[in-house]
Amino acid sequence: MLTFRNVSKTYADGTRALAGISVEVARGEILALVGGSGCGKTTLLRLAAGLDTASGGTIRLDGEVLDRPHPGVGLVFQEPRLLPWLTIAQNVGFGLADLSAPERVRRVAHALERVGLAEHADRWPRDLSGGQQQRTAIARAFVAQPKVLLLDEPFSALDAVTRQDLHGHLLGLWAETRPTIVLVTHDVGEAAVLADRAVVLRPKPGRIHDIFAIATPRPVDPDANASTTRQLRAALGASLRASG
Amino acid sequence: MAAGLTDTAEADGREAPASGLPLRGDRVGRAVLGLLLPLGLAIGWEIAVRGGLAQGRLVPPPSRVLATLSDLAASGELWLHVQATLVRVASGFVLGAGLGIALGAVTGTLPLARHLLDPAFQALRAVPSLAWVPLFILWLGILETPKVVLIGVGVFFPVYVGVSGAIASVDRKLVEVGRIFRLSKPALARRILLPAVLPATIVALRTGLGLGFLFVVAAELMGASEGLGYLLVDGQQFGKPEQILAAILTFALLGKAADTILVVLTRPLLRWQDVARDIL
Ligand SMILES: Nc1ncnc2c1ncn2[C@@H]1O[C@H](COP(=O)(O)OP(=O)(O)OP(=O)(O)O)[C@@H](O)[C@H]1O
Ligand SMILES: [Mg+2]
């Protein structure tokens, strides 16, 4: 269980990015985090990932306070952030230094297979398309098999078709080890398709506007989700107007 | 053994036509282009002197420079001088580059060391390095030590500045990737910082090597009984411009060769780079 209790963040320059965020994410749940630009989504993930420290409140994983990077928590950044001097396979295996070489090779190969990049294993990041780089980043996070995965708009730079493809990849990966996922997205359709619940944030400072349960079981039929999507979109619109 | 050899030959054969050949042709073309101007000038001068248009006493024609060079080579003298100069450059380079990398790494990674050491180094850097010569001679005599130290000083600063600057400007975003995977400090240095600063370090080393050749001349001008710099002084004192030009030519070739070796040796480390070099 991943719990946020009354989490707030004020940056050194006085920017109030988050105030009083409380939410519990069940084990294996996929929670979507939607909200307008600048409402604190990235900030919240960085706090949970232990890259920044909260100004108030606590984030816990199964009771353990998360205030520094934790082996059970993986993060996919808003940009791919591949290491340009490593091949795709080496990038995916970056967090597996502690494993034996054969085990590492096996896991990396499997993950690359999963995200459809097996034949690109030995290429440099510079030679891959944006979507392929993003898939590499997702594979890099999944392959370490963390209990919690934080995904910061991993699909935002992609066209609708590639996106749908990646939704499939993501759910495929999720089905293997069932990590808890917090998925940040701008796209309410995406939230409705992928998530069990969606948290809508409102900005200045970032607070929870509303939380929606998304009833449809996976794999998801987009049409069946139309009403949830509509509801979410309305809430998102309201949260954007309600700023301040 | 034989099978192994055949294998490599085959592998090479497969690769060459695909990408190697056209590229190589391109490179040859560019080399020819670069030689056009100096060769043209040399040939023009040669013709002018032979045709009696110019005397060529102070500026000897290329044939005379080359003859001097081959005489020096034949007598074995040239190798003596080249060797002396190269040993000095190499020792000074190892000294200066080694210290430059070490101290650059320390000041780049440890704020305390940076605040402590960097201002002093920056102040020392502002001193024109040749100004140290009298002091070095007083302290270290006139034999090899002051020469190597002077070259080391020349190499040190560009390497130090390049390395510490490169470390200070490593992308925070990539360092965070290391933090997310909870790399220890040494692992972070080895797996993120080192590769990230490698390109800038190699550029700094090339600059340092160039300065090493610059400073070896200064060092040898301050008194030496062998070395290419000695050939320069000797040529001036005895009015042998062809010897001076022969020494200059040798300097140029050695400098270029040393730089090329550095580039070729380090190229495999930088294959991953996404640079504009090939499209500009
Ligand atoms: N390092 C920082 N220092 C000061 N303010 C910051 C910093 N990082 C973010 N902010 C501010 O905090 C607020 C939330 O930023 P954050 O990046 O979390 O938004 P976001 O919801 O991820 O936006 P987007 O959808 O555009 O990625 C913004 O107002 C931003 O300007
Ligand atoms: Mg963001």
Side-chain angles (χ1 to χ4, degrees), chain A residues 11 13 15 17 36-43 78 153 186:
Chain A
Y11 281 105
D13 64 359
T15 308
S37 181
C39 69
K41 306 183 294 295
T42 297
T43 303
Q78 206 161 348
E153 302 194 41
H186 273 125

Side-chain angles (χ1 to χ4, degrees), chain B residues 101-159:
Chain B
I101 290 175
L103 288 169
V106 168
T107 56
T109 41
L110 306 175
L112 179 64
R114 177 160 58 247
H115 301 319
L116 198 68
L117 299 175
D118 193 60
F121 284 140
Q122 296 299 343
L124 287 177
R125 192 163 77 98
V127 179
S129 304
L130 293 183
W132 297 115
V133 168
L135 211 52
F136 286 166
I137 291 177
L138 268 184
W139 285 347
L140 305 168
I142 53 163
L143 296 177
E144 288 306 300
T145 320
K147 296 188 178 64
V148 170
V149 170
L150 180 66
I151 296 166
V153 168
V155 174
F156 172 79
F157 284 108
V159 174

Side-chain angles (χ1 to χ4, degrees), chain B residues 157-168:
Chain B
F157 284 108
V159 174
Y160 167 76
V161 170
V163 170
S164 74
I167 292 176

Side-chain angles (χ1 to χ4, degrees), chain A residues 46 49-52 69-75 77 79-86 90 93-98 124 126 140-141 144, chain B residues 170-183 187-188 190-197 199 268-275:
Chain A
R46 288 179 60 86
L51 289 178
D52 287 325
H70 185 284
V73 180
L75 171 65
F77 294 92
E79 330 80 40
R81 296 206 192 180
L82 304 182
L83 301 172
W85 52 83
L86 298 181
Q90 290 169 332
F94 186 77
L96 304 181
D98 293 342
W124 301 112
R126 60 152 194 246
R140 176 175 69 184
Chain B
V170 168
D171 193 349
R172 171 187 59 81
K173 294 193 165 88
L174 296 186
V175 174
E176 280 181 356
V177 173
R179 288 184 59 204
I180 277 292
F181 287 106
R182 297 177 343 285
L183 298 190
L188 190 75
R190 185 172 55 81
R191 300 183 65 195
I192 306 251
L193 296 185
L194 182 68
V197 303
L269 300 174
L270 300 180
R271 269 176 311 153
W272 52 269
Q273 268 193 308
D274 190 10
V275 291

